[in-house]
């Protein structure tokens, strides 16, 4: 691990535990076991460090999503949303006890640093475009009813994802509910929008 990586990792844990305002440069220097000059060699200020910590976390997730889905072709919309649910389940499982603190930190951060909204928009744009494309393909193939707007449906799916994340964060970190919750919610939506009632759900 490089010095910069150590600073970022130590800072993330401090920010999760105490929030942006509750962490000082001295706290970071002590936790990362680095000199003040060493820290400022990589980051111009606590604000700069905080932004880089959050951007690194958010970018890693977005890039993982893009890598997993942007280049893939699915046989059906059902196959697409089940694959998405599987990836999201792994994300939630990896976060575990830090998820609630991470969500709170991100909400506060966007309020304090509006520039973080651009990274959130990058994810939302990817989510919208990828899901709309698969929804429209499902409508063209006859899998899904054509009388629903794909643009409206994707907003519902996005809200389902957000809801599962928040619910997961509020529960015990040892409660393994994410996969069941997200898949069940997606399946319920699928039953409402599929064209033929004889399509089974696996």
């Amino acid at each position: 691990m490089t010095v910069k990586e150590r600073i970022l990792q130590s800072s993330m844990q401090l920010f999760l535990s105490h929030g942006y305002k509750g962490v000082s440069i001295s706290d970071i220097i002590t936790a990362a076991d680095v000199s003040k000059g060493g820290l400022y060699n990589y980051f111009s200020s606590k604000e700069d460090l905080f932004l880089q910590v959050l951007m690194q976390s958010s970018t890693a997730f977005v890039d993982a999503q893009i890598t997993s889905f942007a280049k893939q072709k699915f046989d059906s919309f059902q196959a697409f949303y089940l694959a998405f649910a599987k990836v999201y389940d792994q994300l939630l499982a990896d976060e575990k006890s830090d998820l609630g603190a991470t969500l709170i930190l991100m909400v506060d951060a966007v309020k304090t640093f509006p520039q973080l909204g651009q990274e959130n928009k990058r994810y939302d744009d990817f989510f919208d475009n990828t899901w709309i494309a698969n929804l429209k393909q499902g409508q063209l193939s006859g899998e899904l009813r054509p009388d629903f707007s794909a643009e409206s449906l994707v907003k519902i799916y996005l809200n389902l994802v957000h809801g599962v994340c928040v619910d997961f964060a509020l529960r015990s970190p040892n409660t393994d509910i994410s996969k069941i919750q997200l898949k069940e919610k997606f399946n319920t939506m699928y039953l409402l929008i599929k064209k033929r009632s004889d399509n089974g759900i696996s």
Side-chain angles (χ1 to χ4, degrees), residues 48-61:
D48 178 39
L49 172 56
F50 182 64
L51 288 171
Q52 289 198 45
V53 164
L54 293 180
M55 291 292 284
Q56 181 186 60
S57 176
S58 178
T59 299
F61 171 59

Side-chain angles (χ1 to χ4, degrees), residues 98-116:
D98 284 342
L99 182 58
T102 301
L103 291 176
I104 293 171
L105 190 66
M106 285 297 296
V107 170
D108 287 342
V110 170
K111 292 179 180 177
T112 306
F113 307 106
Q115 58 266 49
L116 284 171

